[in-house]
Amino acid sequence: MDMLTLLLLAVMPALVITAGLRDLTTMTIPNWISGALIVGFFPAAFAAGLDLTTVGVHLGVAFAALLVGMGMFALRWIGGGDAKLMASVCLWLGLTGSGLFLVWTGLTGGLFCLALIFARFHARPYVMGAEGWFPRLMEPKGDIPYGVAIAAGALMAYPACDLMAGFASGL
């Protein structure tokens, strides 16, 4: 059972890494990633020993994150994929991990944006005329693939969440 629980707990890191890479290279986060995070949460939660009340709290946090994400999307601050990814990550992290997730996402997002601005200013002459995702990323007024920061924030907050605590207490 422990190996199965470990595999189920590995779903979130694997999917957020995939989302970050997809956003970096295509500027989109496919819906299937957020959907798989939602579907994968329930078996992982029960395998880690979370009770129904705690699962309900996780659902409430995810719903609140979705509402905030929808507002941010309406204001054109983030993309729709970013909003859905943040909500599905908050489902996994619950109340205990979501605060850290937001802090880490904000910090890594700020650093990533500064690094991207610097790279766009200095690397642009070297990638002009090239094809692929990197020259598009270097466009001076291009979008910021914030899924990268969301993935980093999720990975850094994951050890502090209820799922990991539940798993650790069962060892």
Side-chain angles (χ1 to χ4, degrees), residues 61-128:
V61 170
F63 184 69
L66 182 62
L67 291 177
V68 171
M70 289 168 55
M72 293 172 74
F73 173 71
L75 294 169
R76 301 175 63 84
W77 292 350
I78 62 173
D82 298 327
K84 291 178 274 189
L85 181 62
M86 285 178 35
S88 58
V89 165
C90 284
L91 176 64
W92 280 77
L93 298 178
L95 200 54
T96 58
S98 290
L100 278 174
F101 165 61
L102 295 176
V103 169
W104 282 118
T105 299
L107 289 173
T108 57
L111 290 173
F112 180 64
C113 288
L114 288 174
L116 195 53
I117 290 168
F118 180 80
R120 285 176 174 173
F121 182 74
H122 291 289
R124 181 82 179 123
Y126 301 107
V127 296
M128 288 179 62

Side-chain angles (χ1 to χ4, degrees), residues 4 13-14 17 28 30 45 79 95 102 136 140:
L4 176 61
I17 290 168
T28 60
L95 200 54
L102 295 176
R136 283 193 310 269

